[in-house]
Every structure is written in C-alpha cells, then in structure tokens.
C-alpha cells in the first residue's frame, strides 16, 4: 500500500527545539517511541512513555556515546521491506521491532568548524550513527518516513496532524530527497575540511533563493547562498540576477579601499563608470557621478563609509537600482527610502569565497580569486623619469580600478578620480581611445593624468596615444619581450612608467 500509518518511531536528535509538539502528537496517535540518551530524557520529561533503545538491542551506549544505535535490531527495523515475506519472518524470528518513522538530525559539524574549535572537537562532531540512520530510512522510503532536520519539524507535524498519522509514498519520497540532500551536504563539508592534496571540486549550497528571472526574462534564475549573512536589506524590491552580478562587482571593488578615505563607486554592467576618493563621502559621490552621469542612471552605488544626510540628498536626485554602504545615518535612510523600489543594503563584514567558479563547455572552470592588490612595494621603475608621490598614489588608485574592470581595459585617473575607462575591448588601443574620448566628452582635462593597463604593452602605440592626450605617467605589469619600445618612447618624451609584475585580466 502506498499509504501507511505510523505506529512506531525512533527519535534521536541533537537539536531539541520544536521536537516537543511532535512527540506529543505521536503520543496522542498511539505511536510507540524508541529513543536514546538526551532525547529519551527530553521526551520522558514531557510525560510521554519511551522505550530505550538499549532494551531493544540488549546493549548499552558504549565508547562515550559513539555507538548507540548501530545495531541489527535497529537497522533491521528500519530497512525491512514490509511486502517481503522473508523480511517480515526475520523480524519475528529475531524479535526486531518495526520502525515506521525515524527522526534524526546530525551533529553540527560546519558550525563547529566555523567556531574555531580544536581538531578533536571537530572530529567528535562527525556523525556516524545519525548519518547511517538517515540513509537507511531514506533508502527504505517505501515503508519508512525520515525527518532529518529540525527545519522539517513544522512540515512533518502538519502532515501527521492533518492525516491522522498517515503518510503517502509521495510524502515519504519527498522527505527521503530532503534527507539525501542533507547527508550529501554533510559529507561534502567533511571532505572539504579534510582535503589538502586532492584536486577535487566539491560544493554544496542548501540555501536557495528563486529570483524573478535570470539575465533575461525568458531565463530562470536562482541564488544559492545566504544573502542575510552578507547584507541587512533596509529597503526596496528583491534583488534580481543582474543586480546580484553588479552588487558582487561593487563589493569586490570597494573592498580594495577598505579602511581608506571616503570612497564612492558607481557601477554599471559590472564595471565602474564613476569612482572617486575624497575627504568627505559627499564629495566622493559628487566627483564619482561627474565621471559619467549618463551611465550612472540605473546603476549600483557603493561607499566604503557611512552615508550621511547630505550625500543621501544628492543620491536621491539620481535613479539608481541599489545603494550599498557599511551603514546609513537615520536621516539619510529616510531620504533614500523615498523611492519605493530603490534597494538599500547595509554591508556586513563577511569573508568572501577565495575561489571563482563558472561553467565552461561541459564542465567547470575553477580558479583562485585575484587577491593581489598592487602596492608601492611591487613597483619597479624602468624609465628615466620617475613618477611623483602624487602620481604614484593616482597610479595605484587607477590600478585597483583596472583590476576590477573587464579586459581589455585602460583606466584613466587624476587626483584620485576616475576620468574614464575603456572596457571589454578586443585591443588595448581601442580601449585607450574609448577612454580618452569618453573622458573628453565629460569635460575632463587629461593633462598630467595617469593611465593603468591590465596587461603589458607589446608596442609603444598606447603610450604614444596617451602622451598626445596629456597623460604623463603609466602603470602596467610589464613583461613583454618588446617592453623596451614603450620604455624608449617614455624616455624620449618625458613620461614616467612603472611596472607591477602582475597582470590583472578579468574576463
């Protein structure tokens, strides 16, 4: 029969929250409850009769509790096939109780690792009996119900309350699927903790959010992860797939300027279209917006410091999708909430993944995140003209932005303000020309500006074009077999150039 009535249950859980209503309901339905240790004590204190597992197995809990339920009489009661005459006969022969329901959760392995506990404490949180019970009950879903997490308690309680303790095969299969999801996630976490040498990609995300759609309305979209750990959402509509891509780009870019003077970025399609660092967040925003007020429309705004009322008043004049900052003054928040759909996010201090994963062909590409930020210690000075201290600050400022801009890219900056960038071009010359034209269209004077490139110059054409535009200092990785051509042009024309030794392609 596909519908079965629960007559017996094994309950052994780490987390007791929410268990009491289930235990009371099972007792009300006349279900025989088997249990162990702390769970047995918990249920008994509710005034409910419990059959100790030890009285079934004739074996005590041993090895400090490491072995309690690992016994043929327990697993036989779970794994027997009720339509199989031989199985039924063996239950009778060996005095094995039928177990229709298993409620078991797992030791909190991931939380223990995250807490910084000792290796011994972590090892003790690798569940053996629990994972075995879960897999056994899930395998035998035709006859057995498995509840494998406290997050499932409410759903299960509603099910047995509405159906008087009866479950359908569809119900049991659904709970089995949840169980295998939990067990596979658990094993993935344990493997990743132990693995040091194997080049293996294992990832598991059990928290999913269905998005309105993907990159386009005809595509489905999902986010796997915990956004609540990353942000406090203070206002606005739900984040879309494209919003999330832009927010990711914005967060990674602004993290380069953590702890520095007030810095403001405006992004569109994953690239910075406005960026400035100033003494106040208000001036940083005003000067970032000046970089490209056209592209800023519908963009993503992010600050590395608290947004105040004065800044919020300026932001409120612009249509923008998302505003992000570590915090917002109350009066600033009240102003920004004036647009119903504007998304306002307070960014929390959260460690970001150190790997980047993307699909490719019939597989995956996995790489380390580009964690290298060019600093003054990295610089070498191949040209006879050396940059001033102010130029070095601008060069490193431009280099950070360049690192987070789609390749091929050129970034032009002056006085810690993004003048323009050439993004995603098929040649570096095109990227430079695009940046120069864009900067001039918004009234920037490029005289004494600096230029950053994400990769080396194989020819001197870029430095010559930059020189003709008034740019006087250049930062690039170096490493071309024809570096001397660019160096010689700089020496002949009074430009300074520095090498970082690090390429920052971003595809």
């Amino acid at each position: 029969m596909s519908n079965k009535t629960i007559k017996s249950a094994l309950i052994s859980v780490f987390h007791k929250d929410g268990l009491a209503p289930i235990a009371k309901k099972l007792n009300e339905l006349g279900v025989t409850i088997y249990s162990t240790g702390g769970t047995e004590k918990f249920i008994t204190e509710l005034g409910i009769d419990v059959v100790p597992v030890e009285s079934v197995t004739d074996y005590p809990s041993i090895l400090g509790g490491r072995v309690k339920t690992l016994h043929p009489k327990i697993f036989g009661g779970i794994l027997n096939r009720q339509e199989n005459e031989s199985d039924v006969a063996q239950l009778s022969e060996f005095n094995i109780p039928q177990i229709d329901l298993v409620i078991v959760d797992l030791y909190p392995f991931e939380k223990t690792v995250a807490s910084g506990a000792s290796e011994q404490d972590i090892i003790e949180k690798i569940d053996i009996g629990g994972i075995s019970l879960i897999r056994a009950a899930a395998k035998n879903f035709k006859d057995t119900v498995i509840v494998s997490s406290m997050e499932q308690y409410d759903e299960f309680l509603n099910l047995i309350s509405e159906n008087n303790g009866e479950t359908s095969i569809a119900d049991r299969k659904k709970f089995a699927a949840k169980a295998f999801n939990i067990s596979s996630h658990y094993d993935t976490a344990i493997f990743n903790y132990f693995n040091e040498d194997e080049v293996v990609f294992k990832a598991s995300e059990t928290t999913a959010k269905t998005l309105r759609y993907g990159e386009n309305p005809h595509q489905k979209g999902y986010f796997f992860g915990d956004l609540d750990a990353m942000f406090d959402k203070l206002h606005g509509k739900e984040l879309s797939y494209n919003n999330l891509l832009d927010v990711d780009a914005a967060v990674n870019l602004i993290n380069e300027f953590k702890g520095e003077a007030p810095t403001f970025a405006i992004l569109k399609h994953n690239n910075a279209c406005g960026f400035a660092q100033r003494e106040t967040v208000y001036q940083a925003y005003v000067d970032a917006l000046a970089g490209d007020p056209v592209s800023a429309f519908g963009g993503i705004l992010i600050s590395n410091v608290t947004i105040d009322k004065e800044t919020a008043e300026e932001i409120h004049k612009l249509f923008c999708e998302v505003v992000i900052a570590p915090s917002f003054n109350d009066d600033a928040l009240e102003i920004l909430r004036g647009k119903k759909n504007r998304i306002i996010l307070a960014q929390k201090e959260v460690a970001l993944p150190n790997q980047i994963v993307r699909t490719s062909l019939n597989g995956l590409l996995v790489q380390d995140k580009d964690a290298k930020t060019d600093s003054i210690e990295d610089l070498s000075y191949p040209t006879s003209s050396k940059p001033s201290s102010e130029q070095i600050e601008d060069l490193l400022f431009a280099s950070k932005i360049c690192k987070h801009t789609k390749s091929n890219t050129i970034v032009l900056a002056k006085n810690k303000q993004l003048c323009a960038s050439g993004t995603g071009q098929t040649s570096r010359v095109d990227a430079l020309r695009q940046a120069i034209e864009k900067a001039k269209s918004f009234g920037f004077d490029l005289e004494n500006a600096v230029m950053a490139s994400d990769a080396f110059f194989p020819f001197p054409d870029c430095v010559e074009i930059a020189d003709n535009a008034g740019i006087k200092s250049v930062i690039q990785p170096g490493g071309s077999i024809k570096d001397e051509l660019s160096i010689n042009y700089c020496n002949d024309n009074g430009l300074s150039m520095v090498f970082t030794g690090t390429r920052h392609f971003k595809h």
Side-chain angles (χ1 to χ4, degrees), residues 306-309 312 327-337:
T306 300
I307 291 180
D308 56 23
K309 179 182 179 182
S327 59
F328 298 80
N329 289 345
D330 290 343
D331 47 8
L333 194 55
E334 183 178 354
I335 293 166
L336 293 173
R337 281 174 168 159

Side-chain angles (χ1 to χ4, degrees), residues 96-324:
I96 297 173
Q98 172 70 45
I99 297 176
D100 305 310
L101 165 67
V102 175
I103 303 178
V104 176
D105 63 3
L106 299 172
Y107 295 154
F109 178 83
E110 288 179 281
K111 287 184 179 179
T112 306
V113 172
S115 73
S118 68
E119 182 177 86
Q120 184 56 41
D121 288 339
I122 291 169
I123 297 305
E124 288 306 314
K125 290 300 184 291
I126 298 176
D127 209 315
I128 303 301
I131 200 83
S132 302
L133 291 167
I134 287 172
R135 289 178 60 84
K139 175 178 179 177
N140 202 35
F141 69 89
K142 288 186 177 180
D143 294 315
T144 310
V145 189
I146 174 62
V147 177
S148 51
S149 165
M150 62 184 295
E151 280 73 30
Q152 299 165 23
Y153 286 177
D154 287 345
E155 181 181 2
F156 176 71
L157 179 59
N158 290 335
L159 176 67
I160 59 173
S161 298
E162 292 173 4
N163 297 294
N164 202 33
E166 188 175 87
T167 64
S168 69
I169 192 165
D171 296 328
R172 297 191 296 277
K173 192 169 185 179
K174 181 172 70 172
F175 277 101
K178 294 176 185 288
F180 285 123
N181 181 27
I182 285 172
S183 66
S184 62
H185 178 83
Y186 196 73
D187 284 340
T188 295
I190 294 170
F191 169 78
N192 286 333
Y193 171 77
F194 276 91
N195 184 41
E196 295 179 353
D197 303 318
E198 295 292 325
V199 181
V200 174
F201 178 75
K202 286 187 185 292
S204 176
E205 284 289 351
T206 56
T207 305
K209 182 179 182 62
T210 301
L211 305 175
R212 295 196 301 274
Y213 50 80
E215 205 163 8
N216 298 291
H218 62 278
Q219 296 168 265
K220 291 181 180 180
Y222 308 91
F223 175 79
F224 292 90
D226 186 1
L227 281 177
D228 292 337
M230 185 82 206
F231 302 106
D232 284 326
K233 184 167 175 286
L234 306 177
H235 182 71
K237 61 184 180 181
E238 292 299 313
L239 286 160
S240 70
Y241 183 97
N242 291 333
N243 287 156
L244 287 165
L245 289 175
D246 285 329
V247 168
D248 176 72
V251 166
N252 281 288
L253 173 57
I254 209 70
N255 279 351
E256 298 280 357
F257 299 86
K258 187 179 294 184
E260 296 189 16
T263 306
F264 213 105
I266 303 172
L267 287 88
K268 197 73 171 289
H269 298 295
N270 303 168
N271 295 310
C273 59
F275 203 100
Q277 187 173 83
R278 295 291 183 260
E279 291 185 1
T280 67
V281 66
Y282 170 81
Q283 198 59 51
Y285 169 70
V286 169
D287 290 349
L289 181 63
D292 187 345
V294 174
S295 295
F297 183 85
I300 306 293
L301 279 58
I302 189 166
S303 167
N304 71 339
V305 296
T306 300
I307 291 180
D308 56 23
K309 179 182 179 182
E310 184 183 24
T311 309
E313 288 173 338
E314 285 300 310
I315 292 172
H316 193 58
K317 299 173 184 177
L318 175 73
F319 169 72
C320 56
E321 289 273 351
V322 185
V323 183
I324 310 167

